[in-house]
Amino acid sequence: MMHLIVLPIVLPLVVGILLLYRRQGGTRLKRLAGVGSTALLVLVGIALVGQAASGEVTYYALGDWQPPFGIVLVLDRLSALMVLLTAVLALGAVVFACDGDDERGSNFHGLFQWQLMGINGAFLTGDLFNLFVFFEVLLLASYALLLHGGGKARIQAGVHYVVLNLAGSALFLIAVGVLYGATGTLNMADMAARLAELPAERAGLVTAGGLMLLVVFGLKAAMLPLYFWLPRTYAAAPAPVAALFAIMTKVGVYAILRVYSLIFGEAAGPLANLEQAWVWWLSLATLVAAGVGVLAARDLRLLVAYLVLVSVGTLLAGIGMGSPRAVSALLYYLIHTTLITGGLFLLAELIGQQRGKAGTRLVRGRPLQQGGWLAGLFFLGAVSVAGLPPLSGAIGKALLLAAAEGGQRPWLWPTLLLTGLCSLVALSRAGSTLFWRSQGEPSGEALTWRKWFGVTWLLAASPLLVILAGPVSDYTEATAAQLADPQRVIDALLPTAGDAP
């Protein structure tokens, strides 16, 4: 079991290398390898969650170089949850892609596996520099996947995406250098221990480095004013890629949660909670901007992209509230929104395929050949993502609203509820246009089981999260409590932290 922690990185790395090396191989073999590897990642994720559920923080030292000097992968409740969530999302996306989307360009399955490697590595790494490295791995793979199949819109969106993320990467590297110069370490647990004894003259450098990291993570999470790249990029991406991208903003949210709860936790003294005020106000601004974008969207894919932004604002508000109860609520909501928005990207593709030239534009088009089933899935996804009872979106938002304290309530309650109303209005308008305002004869081919599986696999998460709300909430509460006690991570990785200089 000791090598289980490294498997979410090694498995997609090896499979990706083999798929890219044999890129001229048969389509069937590539699909079997891609789906098989992703399904194994689901099983590995389940095993990691079971291992982390004990509450023990464990680590894997690559090359047996012990922390704080070596590269370590750290497993706790949060990292295990994120690895499993990524695998579940990826399985639905890759099965959907096997119906022909993977053949519209080259090397889809190899790049898909490498992106999973980068995402999993970002969730498991225990030091800042390797967080930067895994960010670059997942971004490099995402550049190629975004352009899969070509097209003017994808190339234009891809250029914006690449330029902004290259700027973010440069700032990330500068921030890491500043923090290393001030603390003498890159291991996050060791940095947290050293900040408790940081000389006063270095506090300014650490503050600058910490705020630069917040800009970088805010860009990855698509926090206002750094979100303008996301709507067009996600709307232009191939459907399976857009579905996988639903976890990409959560990487930024995870990084904020991890870095600022561990390094800049209560033990950091004057530097504690460095990000909280910034994240709180910017999250509310993100919610407002996303609500306006949802109402303005005239394409179903663009509408779903703005719904991703709504979820980002909601999650960041949970971080900004700064309490374990709020963190527990945002983790429940994170599971819900990642899977549901991923499923809606896939569903938008199915609807567009059966509407003729209208595609996913919210205009009058042809009747859908399988309109009843598609309408049912759209209704399920819309009710869930808008936060209406009795599905998981309502539970997640209710938990967040209940977690608001004192002066937070007058700001969070109206903002979150009005944004939910905007989402409901936009989705209702989209549904009536897509399924009622039709003309002509049905067009398009009947959908295959692979595409039905991909959409149903992800959207079924909403009723399942309601059924399992008790156990899932128990897990998220324990995760929030673990994050609120960074000393447990420090003690697990650095047993002699108290003797450190």
Side-chain angles (χ1 to χ4, degrees), residues 11-25 29-30 33 109-110 113-114:
L11 178 60
L13 170 64
V14 172
V15 174
I17 290 173
L18 293 175
L19 286 168
L20 291 173
Y21 178 72
R22 298 298 302 271
R23 57 184 179 275
Q24 303 301 329
L29 181 61
K30 288 188 287 187
H109 289 286
Q113 293 299 311
W114 277 12

Side-chain angles (χ1 to χ4, degrees), residues 362-373:
L362 299 178
V363 297
R364 187 188 299 270
R366 292 180 179 272
L368 302 177
Q369 193 174 93
Q370 295 164 293
W373 290 104

Side-chain angles (χ1 to χ4, degrees), residues 90-114:
L91 184 58
V94 75
V95 172
F96 185 98
C98 288
D99 197 57
D101 293 90
D102 55 343
E103 290 298 300
R104 294 179 183 174
S106 58
N107 304 321
F108 175 86
H109 289 286
L111 292 168
F112 193 92
Q113 293 299 311
W114 277 12

Side-chain angles (χ1 to χ4, degrees), residues 15-251:
V15 174
I17 290 173
L18 293 175
L19 286 168
L20 291 173
Y21 178 72
R22 298 298 302 271
R23 57 184 179 275
Q24 303 301 329
T27 300
R28 181 179 176 82
L29 181 61
K30 288 188 287 187
R31 288 174 175 172
L32 284 173
V35 174
S37 173
T38 310
L40 280 175
L41 283 177
V42 174
L43 298 178
V44 171
I46 293 171
L48 289 175
V49 167
Q51 182 176 332
S54 66
E56 181 183 2
V57 177
T58 56
Y59 70 90
Y60 184 91
L62 276 73
D64 203 27
W65 283 83
Q66 296 301 310
F69 308 107
I71 297 172
V72 293
L73 304 176
V74 181
L75 180 72
D76 62 0
R77 291 177 181 273
L78 179 59
S79 58
L81 172 64
M82 298 305 293
V83 168
L84 176 58
L85 179 62
T86 302
V88 171
L89 175 68
L91 184 58
V94 75
V95 172
F96 185 98
C98 288
D99 197 57
D101 293 90
D102 55 343
E103 290 298 300
R104 294 179 183 174
S106 58
N107 304 321
F108 175 86
H109 289 286
L111 292 168
F112 193 92
Q113 293 299 311
W114 277 12
Q115 182 156 5
L116 291 180
M117 176 189 70
I119 293 171
N120 289 337
F123 291 146
L124 290 168
T125 187
D127 71 85
L128 280 177
F129 183 75
N130 282 290
L131 181 61
F132 166 78
V133 170
F134 283 119
F135 266 35
E136 293 309 294
V137 171
L138 69 90
L139 287 172
L140 285 171
S142 70
Y143 298 154
L145 287 173
L146 175 60
L147 299 176
H148 183 76
K152 180 180 178 181
R154 287 176 188 167
I155 293 173
Q156 186 177 20
V159 170
H160 295 162
Y161 180 70
V162 169
V163 170
L164 283 172
N165 278 285
L166 285 177
S169 297
L171 187 61
F172 195 170
L173 201 56
I174 293 170
V176 168
V178 168
L179 289 172
Y180 179 71
T183 63
T185 185
L186 290 171
N187 183 284
M188 287 190 270
D190 192 32
M191 191 175 291
R194 295 190 184 203
L195 283 189
E197 303 173 356
L198 187 74
E201 62 270 17
R202 296 186 185 178
L205 273 178
V206 174
T207 300
L211 290 177
M212 281 192 284
L213 284 182
L214 184 60
V215 173
V216 174
F217 300 152
L219 174 64
K220 308 300 182 187
M223 178 174 64
L224 193 82
L226 304 169
Y227 82 92
F228 295 101
W229 60 271
L230 185 144
R232 296 292 176 185
T233 300
Y234 280 36
V241 176
L244 183 62
F245 278 13
I247 195 72
M248 294 278 279
T249 52
K250 313 312 182 295
V251 175

Side-chain angles (χ1 to χ4, degrees), residues 442-457:
S443 64
E445 300 178 355
L447 302 172
T448 65
W449 71 267
R450 293 184 185 90
K451 294 195 170 179
W452 286 116
F453 174 86
V455 174
T456 307
W457 171 262

Side-chain angles (χ1 to χ4, degrees), residues 10 87 137 159 167 215 229 306 348 365 375 416 438 440 454 462 469:
V10 171
V137 171
V159 170
V215 173
W229 60 271
Y306 274 108
L416 189 57
S438 56
S462 186

